[in-house]
Amino acid sequence: MQAPTQTVPLELLAGDEEKDHSDFDAGKSLQRIVRFDLQSEGNHVLAVSVTYTETDSDGEDQSKSRTRTFRKLYQFIAAPCLSVRTKVSGFPVQENRNEKRSQTKPVSFALEAQLENMADGPITLEKVAFSPKQSFNSTSINWDVSWPDTEKTPCPFLMPRDVTQVAFLIKQQPEGKQSKSQVETTKDGRIILGQLTIRWRTLMGDPGFLTTGWLTTRKQP
C-alpha cells in the first residue's frame, strides 16, 4: 500500500474456509484478504502482484510449464470521516491568603470538542476518551457517564453533517503527587494536556478511529 506518507508491505490473509496453499484446480478461485488502517488523508494506491506457473493439463511434463506475472494497481482517495474542533478553557485559580505563596495550586481546564460526521453515511460513536499527560487526570462528562436512578444513554447516532458535542474536565494533580516542574510544555511555553481518541462504526459495522495530536493550552496567570 502506497500512502501519502509511507509505503507499507501488506500480509495476505487466507479466508476461514481456505487452506493456506497456492495450488488450485481449473475453474476454482482463490481469495486473500489484506487489512490496512487508513491513518492519513489523500491518494492511496494498492499494488497487487501475482506470479503463477502454467503447466500442461496432466501436470506431468515440467518442461512445458511457464511462469507468468502480472500486476494491477487500485487507486482510491481517503477522505476524513469525522471532523474534530476543540476548545480549552481554564478555570481561574482561587487564591487563599492563608496559604504560602510558594505553594503550587492545581489548575483545572474544560476541554470541549465538536464532532461532525463528514462521511456519506451515518455513523455511531462508540467511545470518546481523553488520555491526559501524567501531570493531569481527566473526567468524562458525556453519554458514557452513569448517573444514579437514570437509564444508560445510548451512543450518539450521527447522520451525514450532524454535529455533537463532548466535554472533559481536566485537573492538574495536586502537589506531592505531581510537581509543577513535571508539567510538559511546548517550545513556545504552552501546556501539553493530552490526546483525544474517538472510535465509531458505520451503518455496515465497519470500525473507524481517530487520535488527535497533542492538545495544548496557554499557561494560566
Side-chain angles (χ1 to χ4, degrees):
M1 178 69 74
Q2 182 178 350
T5 57
Q6 61 181 338
T7 300
V8 182
L10 301 179
E11 181 182 359
L12 294 176
L13 304 177
D16 296 337
E17 299 179 356
E18 293 185 5
K19 297 180 180 179
D20 190 14
H21 60 74
S22 56
D23 298 330
F24 54 102
D25 299 329
K28 299 295 183 179
S29 63
L30 188 67
Q31 178 176 320
R32 290 292 183 265
I33 301 172
V34 294
R35 300 187 185 277
F36 179 75
D37 291 331
L38 295 174
Q39 299 180 356
S40 56
E41 303 174 18
N43 189 50
H44 288 67
V45 179
L46 176 63
V48 181
S49 297
V50 179
T51 300
Y52 62 97
T53 302
E54 286 184 342
T55 60
D56 64 343
S57 58
D58 296 330
E60 298 178 355
D61 191 354
Q62 299 295 329
S63 63
K64 296 183 180 180
S65 63
R66 293 184 300 176
T67 300
R68 297 179 178 270
T69 300
F70 68 90
R71 191 167 186 256
K72 282 197 171 185
L73 302 178
Y74 301 89
Q75 183 175 348
F76 61 94
I77 297 177
C81 183
L82 203 67
S83 172
V84 182
R85 301 178 183 89
T86 59
K87 175 184 177 183
V88 178
S89 303
F91 294 104
V93 178
Q94 298 293 334
E95 295 187 358
N96 189 341
R97 295 181 179 179
N98 296 326
E99 294 180 350
K100 297 181 180 180
R101 292 185 179 182
S102 60
Q103 185 175 355
T104 302
K105 303 179 182 63
V107 182
S108 299
F109 303 92
L111 170 63
E112 302 172 78
Q114 185 183 77
L115 312 180
E116 181 178 0
N117 180 11
M118 305 296 292
D120 296 330
I123 62 173
T124 300
L125 294 180
E126 289 191 331
K127 182 179 180 181
V128 179
F130 183 75
S131 301
K133 283 289 190 177
Q134 294 181 355
S135 315
F136 301 93
N137 52 43
S138 67
T139 303
S140 172
I141 48 177
N142 303 303
W143 73 89
D144 53 349
V145 177
S146 298
W147 300 99
D149 302 326
T150 58
E151 296 182 0
K152 185 178 179 180
T153 304
C155 297
F157 181 79
L158 303 180
M159 296 295 292
R161 302 302 180 271
D162 278 357
V163 176
T164 189
Q165 301 268 357
V166 296
F168 293 86
L169 178 62
I170 305 169
K171 188 173 182 179
Q172 182 182 347
Q173 296 191 24
E175 188 176 10
K177 294 184 178 180
Q178 195 74 28
S179 65
K180 187 177 181 180
S181 60
Q182 292 177 296
V183 174
E184 297 184 37
T185 59
T186 61
K187 292 182 179 180
D188 58 355
R190 295 180 64 86
I191 299 174
I192 303 176
L193 298 177
Q195 291 178 297
L196 193 64
T197 300
I198 307 163
R199 296 185 180 275
W200 67 87
R201 285 191 181 273
T202 66
L203 193 62
M204 299 299 294
D206 297 324
F209 69 93
L210 180 151
T211 300
T212 66
W214 293 110
L215 301 178
T216 63
T217 186
R218 63 183 179 83
K219 288 186 177 181
Q220 297 297 300

Coordinates of all heavy atoms in Angstrom, one line a residue, residues 28 84 99-100 105 145 157 169 171 180:
K28 N -11.5 -23.0 -10.4 CA -11.6 -22.6 -9.0 C -11.1 -21.2 -8.8 O -10.4 -20.7 -9.6 CB -10.8 -23.6 -8.1 CG -11.3 -25.1 -8.2 CD -12.7 -25.2 -7.6 CE -13.1 -26.7 -7.7 NZ -14.5 -26.8 -7.1
V84 N -13.1 17.2 13.8 CA -12.9 17.5 15.2 C -12.4 18.9 15.4 O -11.4 19.3 14.9 CB -12.0 16.5 15.9 CG1 -11.9 16.7 17.4 CG2 -12.4 15.0 15.6
E99 N -2.6 30.5 52.6 CA -1.6 29.6 52.0 C -0.3 30.4 51.7 O -0.3 31.6 51.4 CB -2.1 29.0 50.8 CG -3.3 28.0 51.0 CD -3.8 27.4 49.7 OE1 -3.3 27.8 48.7 OE2 -4.6 26.5 49.8
K100 N 0.8 29.7 51.7 CA 2.1 30.3 51.3 C 2.1 30.5 49.8 O 1.6 29.7 49.1 CB 3.2 29.4 51.8 CG 3.3 29.1 53.3 CD 4.5 28.2 53.6 CE 4.6 28.0 55.1 NZ 5.7 27.1 55.4
K105 N -0.6 25.6 43.3 CA -2.1 25.3 43.3 C -2.5 24.6 42.1 O -2.0 24.9 41.0 CB -2.8 26.6 43.4 CG -2.5 27.5 44.6 CD -3.3 28.8 44.5 CE -2.9 29.7 45.7 NZ -1.4 30.1 45.7
V145 N -21.2 8.4 31.0 CA -21.2 8.6 32.5 C -22.5 8.0 33.0 O -23.6 8.2 32.5 CB -21.1 10.0 32.9 CG1 -21.2 10.2 34.4 CG2 -19.8 10.6 32.3
F157 N -25.9 8.8 17.5 CA -26.0 8.3 16.1 C -26.0 9.6 15.2 O -26.9 10.4 15.4 CB -27.3 7.5 16.0 CG -27.5 7.0 14.6 CD1 -26.9 5.8 14.1 CD2 -28.4 7.6 13.7 CE1 -27.1 5.4 12.8 CE2 -28.7 7.1 12.4 CZ -28.0 6.0 12.0
L169 N -13.4 17.3 31.9 CA -12.9 18.1 32.9 C -11.4 17.6 33.2 O -11.2 16.5 33.6 CB -13.7 18.0 34.2 CG -13.2 18.9 35.4 CD1 -13.2 20.3 35.1 CD2 -14.0 18.6 36.6
K171 N -7.9 18.2 35.3 CA -7.4 18.8 36.5 C -5.9 18.4 36.8 O -5.6 17.3 36.7 CB -8.2 18.5 37.7 CG -7.9 19.3 39.0 CD -8.9 19.0 40.1 CE -8.6 19.8 41.4 NZ -9.5 19.5 42.4
K180 N 4.9 20.7 39.9 CA 4.7 21.6 38.8 C 5.8 21.5 37.7 O 5.6 21.7 36.5 CB 4.5 23.0 39.3 CG 4.1 24.0 38.2 CD 3.9 25.4 38.8 CE 3.5 26.4 37.8 NZ 3.3 27.7 38.4

